[in-house]
Structures are given as structure tokens and as C-alpha cells.
Amino acid sequence: MALTQHDLLRLLESLRSADGLALVREVAERLLQELIEAEATTKIGAEWGEHTDVRTTWRNGHREKTMTMQAGALELAIPKLPAGSFFPSLLERRRRIDQALYAVITQDGGREVVGVMVGDSETEVFWAQFLRSLRERGLSGVRLVIFDSHSGLVEAIRKIMLGVTWQRCRVHFVHNVFAVIPKGSAEMVAATIRTVFAQPTANAVRAQLDTVADMLGRQFPKVRAMLLEGKEELTAFADFPHQHWRKVQSTNPLERLNREIKRRTDVVQVFPNPPAVLRLATAVLAELHDEWIAFPRRYLSNESMNALYPDAPTVLPATSDD
């Protein structure tokens, strides 16, 4: 939808009186709104009030959408359609509000969701605030943190959870490796790296990583550097009971929780504000948490947990996933 002469004059007047970030916000807000309306016109097949043979639906008002940028909050209006749905592709990458989710394996081998928080980005500040909130609520004695090497999370863990052992997710690491090798070599490289995690002892795990780094380094020197640089974090699992290895090498259990949240939030698509996202995510996690508690199927067995906590009270037997 092109700006009319009247709209142009109003915009010019507002820009004259604005300065600094206010000027940036004014221009960005107007530009984004025009692009949103243009995309809606393409989907509908007609301009406002225009009758065409290719029209598929019509506008039915707008819904408000606040978009947060470094320059400030932009107030946008998303066209509503009576038939079908519409969300601007321009905003698609910003639609997901990042969620911090922390699930733990308890001392008796069970699983619990101990916290969830919603924010605009996964920065160090965001993660530090989340981790501090867990600590203030009494979280302590953490032995191992499994993470995806997100820079903001890494820095926050270093500052908030001093002395904890880190395990870098093997799945995310392999995906990072794919970014520096030809697509045709991906299967071979992934299979070679997987041999590191199939060794029977801690010494064998670390020796195999060195061997794999040398093997792949002949053709892919960047992969060799990544393996050697991340050796300590990739092999941290090997210092824990062997029965735990398969379950603490990656963030896969947490990813399953995230997929369930995503499945439920995709139904809603657009949330009016962060608290609305938090309410839905919390409800989903509460359901999953209750399932873990209601069905006594421990994630890790008593015997394997006793190796970590030999002085812990005896826990009644229960079915285990080990």
C-alpha cells in the first residue's frame, strides 16, 4: 500500500521533530508496516477496496504486534483475514520468543523441570538472570551441565555456576562441523566422530578423539582444530558412570521438551506479550513434569547414581531407563 501525499507530509513532519533513536524508530516502523501491507496485498490478491479476478480473501481489520529492536519497541499492525491465516515473512525469524528451560536429573536418578523463563534473546544477561533465579530458589550441588555451546549461555555458566563440569552436546557439535566441510562429506565425517563416543573407557574415549582429529585433519584441518579445542567439553561425560554415558552426551532429552512446547505454541502462532508465552510453556512443562513424577521410571538407575553419591540415603527400587 503506497503512501499518499497526506501520509508523506505527516511522516516528513514527524521526522523533522524526531532525533536519534526516535528517528530510527519512526522510519523503521513505517517501513516495516508498508512491507507488511504489501505482503498482505500479494496474499489477498488485491489492494484495499480493489476488485480483481485473483482475489482470494479480504482484510478484516488488524491485530497489534510489538516488535522489539535495539532502537526500541515498534508498534506494528498485522492484517487479519477472515479466511486462512497471515503472518509477515519479514517477522517470521523474530516470531519465536526465546525460552530458557532447565531440566535436571535428581540425586535419585529421576527427572524434574526446575525452571522456565521467557526473553527476547539468548544473551549472556538473559541466561545469567535465569541461572541466578535457579540458584536463589535453592538449586545447588550441580555436577554436570549439558549445553549447546551458545555463547551467551557459556559465559553465564562460567560466572554463575562455578566449578561445574561441562558436557558439550555431541549432536550440536556435529552440526557445527557440517558448516566447515562439503555437504558430500557429512555422512563420513559424522560416522567417524561417532566412534569417539562408542569407546568402552574414559581413556579410550579421549585417545580416540585424538586419533579422529588426526584422521580428519588431513582433509579437514578446521575439523581437527574444532575437535582438539573442544576435547575437554566433548569428553566430560566419560568421567561419570558408564551407564550414564548415552544419556548425558547430548541435550536430546531437553530438545524433546522444546519440540513439545513448539508444537503447542505453533497452534497459537502470535502471542500478545511474553507473559502469554510463559503461561502456555509453563502449562506444557507442568504436564510433562507430572508424568515424570507419576510414573516411577527413573532416568538413571539407583546403582549408577550410588556411584556418584555413595553416602546418599537408600532409595526404593523403581523401573529404570538404563
mmCIF file of all heavy atoms in Angstrom, residues 96-131:
data_model
loop_
_atom_site.group_PDB
_atom_site.id
_atom_site.type_symbol
_atom_site.label_atom_id
_atom_site.label_comp_id
_atom_site.label_asym_id
_atom_site.label_seq_id
_atom_site.Cartn_x
_atom_site.Cartn_y
_atom_site.Cartn_z
ATOM 1 N N ARG A 96 9.582 -16.272 17.262
ATOM 2 C CA ARG A 96 9.812 -17.095 18.448
ATOM 3 C C ARG A 96 10.468 -16.257 19.529
ATOM 4 O O ARG A 96 11.512 -15.667 19.347
ATOM 5 C CB ARG A 96 10.745 -18.269 18.116
ATOM 6 C CG ARG A 96 11.001 -19.173 19.304
ATOM 7 C CD ARG A 96 11.923 -20.302 18.901
ATOM 8 N NE ARG A 96 13.234 -19.818 18.565
ATOM 9 C CZ ARG A 96 14.196 -19.589 19.457
ATOM 10 N NH1 ARG A 96 13.961 -19.799 20.734
ATOM 11 N NH2 ARG A 96 15.376 -19.168 19.069
ATOM 12 N N ILE A 97 9.836 -16.217 20.681
ATOM 13 C CA ILE A 97 10.446 -15.584 21.838
ATOM 14 C C ILE A 97 11.292 -16.641 22.519
ATOM 15 O O ILE A 97 10.812 -17.711 22.849
ATOM 16 C CB ILE A 97 9.392 -15.035 22.809
ATOM 17 C CG1 ILE A 97 8.551 -13.967 22.119
ATOM 18 C CG2 ILE A 97 10.034 -14.460 24.062
ATOM 19 C CD1 ILE A 97 7.467 -13.401 22.989
ATOM 20 N N ASP A 98 12.570 -16.366 22.695
ATOM 21 C CA ASP A 98 13.477 -17.367 23.226
ATOM 22 C C ASP A 98 13.065 -17.791 24.623
ATOM 23 O O ASP A 98 12.666 -16.984 25.449
ATOM 24 C CB ASP A 98 14.908 -16.816 23.252
ATOM 25 C CG ASP A 98 15.446 -16.637 21.855
ATOM 26 O OD1 ASP A 98 15.476 -17.626 21.123
ATOM 27 O OD2 ASP A 98 15.814 -15.504 21.499
ATOM 28 N N GLN A 99 13.231 -19.088 24.874
ATOM 29 C CA GLN A 99 12.849 -19.649 26.156
ATOM 30 C C GLN A 99 14.060 -20.288 26.806
ATOM 31 O O GLN A 99 14.809 -21.002 26.160
ATOM 32 C CB GLN A 99 11.772 -20.732 25.969
ATOM 33 C CG GLN A 99 10.536 -20.214 25.282
ATOM 34 C CD GLN A 99 9.722 -21.345 24.695
ATOM 35 O OE1 GLN A 99 9.964 -22.491 24.994
ATOM 36 N NE2 GLN A 99 8.778 -21.008 23.857
ATOM 37 N N ALA A 100 14.239 -20.012 28.081
ATOM 38 C CA ALA A 100 15.255 -20.704 28.859
ATOM 39 C C ALA A 100 14.563 -21.842 29.583
ATOM 40 O O ALA A 100 13.565 -21.628 30.261
ATOM 41 C CB ALA A 100 15.894 -19.751 29.861
ATOM 42 N N LEU A 101 15.061 -23.032 29.408
ATOM 43 C CA LEU A 101 14.443 -24.201 30.014
ATOM 44 C C LEU A 101 15.531 -25.003 30.704
ATOM 45 O O LEU A 101 16.574 -25.280 30.128
ATOM 46 C CB LEU A 101 13.753 -25.055 28.940
ATOM 47 C CG LEU A 101 13.165 -26.391 29.367
ATOM 48 C CD1 LEU A 101 12.095 -26.177 30.413
ATOM 49 C CD2 LEU A 101 12.603 -27.120 28.160
ATOM 50 N N TYR A 102 15.313 -25.366 31.955
ATOM 51 C CA TYR A 102 16.323 -26.076 32.717
ATOM 52 C C TYR A 102 15.696 -27.323 33.304
ATOM 53 O O TYR A 102 14.817 -27.255 34.166
ATOM 54 C CB TYR A 102 16.854 -25.181 33.843
ATOM 55 C CG TYR A 102 18.247 -25.523 34.311
ATOM 56 C CD1 TYR A 102 19.355 -24.954 33.706
ATOM 57 C CD2 TYR A 102 18.444 -26.411 35.358
ATOM 58 C CE1 TYR A 102 20.630 -25.255 34.140
ATOM 59 C CE2 TYR A 102 19.714 -26.718 35.799
ATOM 60 C CZ TYR A 102 20.808 -26.139 35.180
ATOM 61 O OH TYR A 102 22.072 -26.434 35.614
ATOM 62 N N ALA A 103 16.120 -28.466 32.803
ATOM 63 C CA ALA A 103 15.649 -29.743 33.333
ATOM 64 C C ALA A 103 16.830 -30.426 34.011
ATOM 65 O O ALA A 103 17.959 -30.349 33.536
ATOM 66 C CB ALA A 103 15.108 -30.621 32.218
ATOM 67 N N VAL A 104 16.572 -31.099 35.127
ATOM 68 C CA VAL A 104 17.659 -31.724 35.871
ATOM 69 C C VAL A 104 17.380 -33.195 36.117
ATOM 70 O O VAL A 104 16.238 -33.648 36.117
ATOM 71 C CB VAL A 104 17.883 -31.034 37.242
ATOM 72 C CG1 VAL A 104 18.216 -29.577 37.055
ATOM 73 C CG2 VAL A 104 16.654 -31.202 38.134
ATOM 74 N N ILE A 105 18.475 -33.937 36.309
ATOM 75 C CA ILE A 105 18.391 -35.304 36.802
ATOM 76 C C ILE A 105 18.688 -35.226 38.285
ATOM 77 O O ILE A 105 19.733 -34.731 38.701
ATOM 78 C CB ILE A 105 19.405 -36.214 36.094
ATOM 79 C CG1 ILE A 105 19.154 -36.228 34.587
ATOM 80 C CG2 ILE A 105 19.325 -37.640 36.644
ATOM 81 C CD1 ILE A 105 20.224 -36.950 33.802
ATOM 82 N N THR A 106 17.757 -35.681 39.096
ATOM 83 C CA THR A 106 17.899 -35.548 40.543
ATOM 84 C C THR A 106 18.833 -36.615 41.097
ATOM 85 O O THR A 106 19.235 -37.550 40.399
ATOM 86 C CB THR A 106 16.525 -35.661 41.215
ATOM 87 O OG1 THR A 106 15.944 -36.931 40.869
ATOM 88 C CG2 THR A 106 15.604 -34.546 40.737
ATOM 89 N N GLN A 107 19.142 -36.495 42.384
ATOM 90 C CA GLN A 107 20.097 -37.397 43.035
ATOM 91 C C GLN A 107 19.619 -38.838 43.022
ATOM 92 O O GLN A 107 20.416 -39.763 43.089
ATOM 93 C CB GLN A 107 20.346 -36.915 44.459
ATOM 94 C CG GLN A 107 21.487 -37.632 45.167
ATOM 95 C CD GLN A 107 21.878 -36.938 46.451
ATOM 96 O OE1 GLN A 107 22.002 -35.730 46.493
ATOM 97 N NE2 GLN A 107 22.067 -37.715 47.506
ATOM 98 N N ASP A 108 18.307 -39.056 42.941
ATOM 99 C CA ASP A 108 17.789 -40.424 42.918
ATOM 100 C C ASP A 108 17.585 -40.943 41.496
ATOM 101 O O ASP A 108 16.977 -41.995 41.294
ATOM 102 C CB ASP A 108 16.491 -40.521 43.723
ATOM 103 C CG ASP A 108 15.354 -39.741 43.078
ATOM 104 O OD1 ASP A 108 15.614 -39.040 42.096
ATOM 105 O OD2 ASP A 108 14.216 -39.837 43.562
ATOM 106 N N GLY A 109 18.102 -40.186 40.500
ATOM 107 C CA GLY A 109 18.005 -40.654 39.117
ATOM 108 C C GLY A 109 16.743 -40.242 38.407
ATOM 109 O O GLY A 109 16.534 -40.622 37.240
ATOM 110 N N GLY A 110 15.881 -39.471 39.046
ATOM 111 C CA GLY A 110 14.657 -39.003 38.398
ATOM 112 C C GLY A 110 14.901 -37.734 37.605
ATOM 113 O O GLY A 110 16.002 -37.184 37.582
ATOM 114 N N ARG A 111 13.859 -37.271 36.938
ATOM 115 C CA ARG A 111 13.955 -36.032 36.148
ATOM 116 C C ARG A 111 12.947 -35.018 36.647
ATOM 117 O O ARG A 111 11.826 -35.376 37.011
ATOM 118 C CB ARG A 111 13.688 -36.325 34.669
ATOM 119 C CG ARG A 111 14.800 -37.063 33.964
ATOM 120 C CD ARG A 111 14.476 -37.282 32.504
ATOM 121 N NE ARG A 111 13.377 -38.228 32.327
ATOM 122 C CZ ARG A 111 12.834 -38.526 31.149
ATOM 123 N NH1 ARG A 111 13.266 -37.930 30.048
ATOM 124 N NH2 ARG A 111 11.850 -39.399 31.060
ATOM 125 N N GLU A 112 13.347 -33.756 36.631
ATOM 126 C CA GLU A 112 12.458 -32.670 37.010
ATOM 127 C C GLU A 112 12.732 -31.451 36.147
ATOM 128 O O GLU A 112 13.869 -31.220 35.730
ATOM 129 C CB GLU A 112 12.661 -32.273 38.479
ATOM 130 C CG GLU A 112 12.235 -33.313 39.489
ATOM 131 C CD GLU A 112 12.359 -32.806 40.921
ATOM 132 O OE1 GLU A 112 12.510 -31.574 41.087
ATOM 133 O OE2 GLU A 112 12.306 -33.626 41.842
ATOM 134 N N VAL A 113 11.683 -30.690 35.863
ATOM 135 C CA VAL A 113 11.838 -29.368 35.259
ATOM 136 C C VAL A 113 11.877 -28.381 36.417
ATOM 137 O O VAL A 113 10.921 -28.296 37.195
ATOM 138 C CB VAL A 113 10.661 -29.027 34.318
ATOM 139 C CG1 VAL A 113 10.823 -27.611 33.770
ATOM 140 C CG2 VAL A 113 10.601 -30.028 33.167
ATOM 141 N N VAL A 114 12.981 -27.655 36.551
ATOM 142 C CA VAL A 114 13.124 -26.777 37.713
ATOM 143 C C VAL A 114 12.974 -25.299 37.370
ATOM 144 O O VAL A 114 12.941 -24.459 38.273
ATOM 145 C CB VAL A 114 14.482 -26.999 38.414
ATOM 146 C CG1 VAL A 114 14.549 -28.394 38.985
ATOM 147 C CG2 VAL A 114 15.642 -26.745 37.459
ATOM 148 N N GLY A 115 12.863 -24.964 36.090
ATOM 149 C CA GLY A 115 12.697 -23.552 35.786
ATOM 150 C C GLY A 115 12.427 -23.288 34.316
ATOM 151 O O GLY A 115 12.819 -24.062 33.447
ATOM 152 N N VAL A 116 11.739 -22.194 34.066
ATOM 153 C CA VAL A 116 11.487 -21.739 32.700
ATOM 154 C C VAL A 116 11.375 -20.218 32.733
ATOM 155 O O VAL A 116 10.862 -19.647 33.697
ATOM 156 C CB VAL A 116 10.197 -22.371 32.113
ATOM 157 C CG1 VAL A 116 8.987 -22.012 32.953
ATOM 158 C CG2 VAL A 116 9.989 -21.939 30.667
ATOM 159 N N MET A 117 11.903 -19.572 31.708
ATOM 160 C CA MET A 117 11.850 -18.114 31.626
ATOM 161 C C MET A 117 11.758 -17.709 30.159
ATOM 162 O O MET A 117 12.263 -18.417 29.288
ATOM 163 C CB MET A 117 13.097 -17.495 32.280
ATOM 164 C CG MET A 117 13.132 -15.970 32.305
ATOM 165 S SD MET A 117 14.629 -15.333 33.125
ATOM 166 C CE MET A 117 14.254 -15.728 34.827
ATOM 167 N N VAL A 118 11.118 -16.593 29.903
ATOM 168 C CA VAL A 118 10.945 -16.103 28.540
ATOM 169 C C VAL A 118 11.668 -14.773 28.381
ATOM 170 O O VAL A 118 11.626 -13.918 29.267
ATOM 171 C CB VAL A 118 9.448 -15.927 28.206
ATOM 172 C CG1 VAL A 118 9.267 -15.237 26.859
ATOM 173 C CG2 VAL A 118 8.756 -17.276 28.198
ATOM 174 N N GLY A 119 12.346 -14.596 27.262
ATOM 175 C CA GLY A 119 13.040 -13.339 26.983
ATOM 176 C C GLY A 119 13.123 -13.084 25.493
ATOM 177 O O GLY A 119 12.757 -13.934 24.679
ATOM 178 N N ASP A 120 13.627 -11.903 25.117
ATOM 179 C CA ASP A 120 13.689 -11.517 23.703
ATOM 180 C C ASP A 120 14.892 -12.098 22.977
ATOM 181 O O ASP A 120 14.903 -12.182 21.761
ATOM 182 C CB ASP A 120 13.720 -9.988 23.569
ATOM 183 C CG ASP A 120 12.382 -9.368 23.925
ATOM 184 O OD1 ASP A 120 11.362 -10.027 23.680
ATOM 185 O OD2 ASP A 120 12.358 -8.250 24.447
ATOM 186 N N SER A 121 15.945 -12.475 23.696
ATOM 187 C CA SER A 121 17.141 -13.010 23.049
ATOM 188 C C SER A 121 17.950 -13.810 24.043
ATOM 189 O O SER A 121 17.868 -13.594 25.253
ATOM 190 C CB SER A 121 18.004 -11.874 22.478
ATOM 191 O OG SER A 121 18.446 -11.031 23.517
ATOM 192 N N GLU A 122 18.742 -14.753 23.520
ATOM 193 C CA GLU A 122 19.542 -15.623 24.374
ATOM 194 C C GLU A 122 20.918 -15.009 24.637
ATOM 195 O O GLU A 122 21.946 -15.576 24.296
ATOM 196 C CB GLU A 122 19.671 -17.004 23.739
ATOM 197 C CG GLU A 122 18.364 -17.763 23.707
ATOM 198 C CD GLU A 122 18.541 -19.171 23.170
ATOM 199 O OE1 GLU A 122 18.618 -19.305 21.942
ATOM 200 O OE2 GLU A 122 18.603 -20.115 23.970
ATOM 201 N N THR A 123 20.939 -13.843 25.252
ATOM 202 C CA THR A 123 22.189 -13.170 25.568
ATOM 203 C C THR A 123 22.738 -13.669 26.903
ATOM 204 O O THR A 123 22.055 -14.351 27.666
ATOM 205 C CB THR A 123 21.976 -11.657 25.654
ATOM 206 O OG1 THR A 123 21.034 -11.387 26.718
ATOM 207 C CG2 THR A 123 21.421 -11.098 24.348
ATOM 208 N N GLU A 124 23.975 -13.287 27.193
ATOM 209 C CA GLU A 124 24.558 -13.636 28.482
ATOM 210 C C GLU A 124 23.735 -13.055 29.627
ATOM 211 O O GLU A 124 23.531 -13.713 30.659
ATOM 212 C CB GLU A 124 25.994 -13.112 28.556
ATOM 213 C CG GLU A 124 26.669 -13.412 29.883
ATOM 214 C CD GLU A 124 28.020 -12.748 30.013
ATOM 215 O OE1 GLU A 124 28.595 -12.337 28.975
ATOM 216 O OE2 GLU A 124 28.508 -12.622 31.155
ATOM 217 N N VAL A 125 23.249 -11.829 29.451
ATOM 218 C CA VAL A 125 22.443 -11.188 30.501
ATOM 219 C C VAL A 125 21.190 -12.010 30.787
ATOM 220 O O VAL A 125 20.820 -12.238 31.946
ATOM 221 C CB VAL A 125 22.062 -9.755 30.082
ATOM 222 C CG1 VAL A 125 21.084 -9.140 31.085
ATOM 223 C CG2 VAL A 125 23.314 -8.886 29.965
ATOM 224 N N PHE A 126 20.530 -12.466 29.730
ATOM 225 C CA PHE A 126 19.312 -13.261 29.887
ATOM 226 C C PHE A 126 19.603 -14.565 30.631
ATOM 227 O O PHE A 126 18.923 -14.921 31.603
ATOM 228 C CB PHE A 126 18.716 -13.547 28.510
ATOM 229 C CG PHE A 126 17.595 -14.560 28.508
ATOM 230 C CD1 PHE A 126 16.376 -14.258 29.070
ATOM 231 C CD2 PHE A 126 17.768 -15.808 27.936
ATOM 232 C CE1 PHE A 126 15.339 -15.188 29.074
ATOM 233 C CE2 PHE A 126 16.754 -16.742 27.929
ATOM 234 C CZ PHE A 126 15.530 -16.433 28.501
ATOM 235 N N TRP A 127 20.634 -15.301 30.180
ATOM 236 C CA TRP A 127 20.952 -16.576 30.804
ATOM 237 C C TRP A 127 21.432 -16.389 32.234
ATOM 238 O O TRP A 127 21.116 -17.200 33.120
ATOM 239 C CB TRP A 127 22.000 -17.314 29.979
ATOM 240 C CG TRP A 127 21.433 -18.029 28.809
ATOM 241 C CD1 TRP A 127 21.593 -17.726 27.483
ATOM 242 C CD2 TRP A 127 20.590 -19.189 28.840
ATOM 243 N NE1 TRP A 127 20.905 -18.616 26.693
ATOM 244 C CE2 TRP A 127 20.288 -19.528 27.507
ATOM 245 C CE3 TRP A 127 20.079 -19.967 29.867
ATOM 246 C CZ2 TRP A 127 19.484 -20.606 27.174
ATOM 247 C CZ3 TRP A 127 19.271 -21.055 29.543
ATOM 248 C CH2 TRP A 127 18.990 -21.373 28.206
ATOM 249 N N ALA A 128 22.213 -15.336 32.494
ATOM 250 C CA ALA A 128 22.691 -15.087 33.855
ATOM 251 C C ALA A 128 21.519 -14.828 34.802
ATOM 252 O O ALA A 128 21.489 -15.316 35.943
ATOM 253 C CB ALA A 128 23.657 -13.903 33.862
ATOM 254 N N GLN A 129 20.543 -14.055 34.334
ATOM 255 C CA GLN A 129 19.354 -13.784 35.158
ATOM 256 C C GLN A 129 18.615 -15.077 35.465
ATOM 257 O O GLN A 129 18.168 -15.306 36.598
ATOM 258 C CB GLN A 129 18.436 -12.805 34.419
ATOM 259 C CG GLN A 129 17.165 -12.464 35.184
ATOM 260 C CD GLN A 129 16.213 -11.596 34.375
ATOM 261 O OE1 GLN A 129 16.454 -11.297 33.198
ATOM 262 N NE2 GLN A 129 15.122 -11.179 34.986
ATOM 263 N N PHE A 130 18.491 -15.937 34.471
ATOM 264 C CA PHE A 130 17.782 -17.200 34.659
ATOM 265 C C PHE A 130 18.525 -18.116 35.633
ATOM 266 O O PHE A 130 17.930 -18.675 36.560
ATOM 267 C CB PHE A 130 17.610 -17.885 33.307
ATOM 268 C CG PHE A 130 16.924 -19.220 33.383
ATOM 269 C CD1 PHE A 130 15.641 -19.328 33.885
ATOM 270 C CD2 PHE A 130 17.563 -20.367 32.945
ATOM 271 C CE1 PHE A 130 14.997 -20.552 33.958
ATOM 272 C CE2 PHE A 130 16.936 -21.601 33.014
ATOM 273 C CZ PHE A 130 15.647 -21.691 33.519
ATOM 274 N N LEU A 131 19.831 -18.266 35.452
ATOM 275 C CA LEU A 131 20.604 -19.140 36.324
ATOM 276 C C LEU A 131 20.636 -18.616 37.755
ATOM 277 O O LEU A 131 20.592 -19.392 38.719
ATOM 278 C CB LEU A 131 22.026 -19.297 35.780
ATOM 279 C CG LEU A 131 22.148 -20.023 34.429
ATOM 280 C CD1 LEU A 131 23.589 -20.051 33.965
ATOM 281 C CD2 LEU A 131 21.589 -21.442 34.525
#
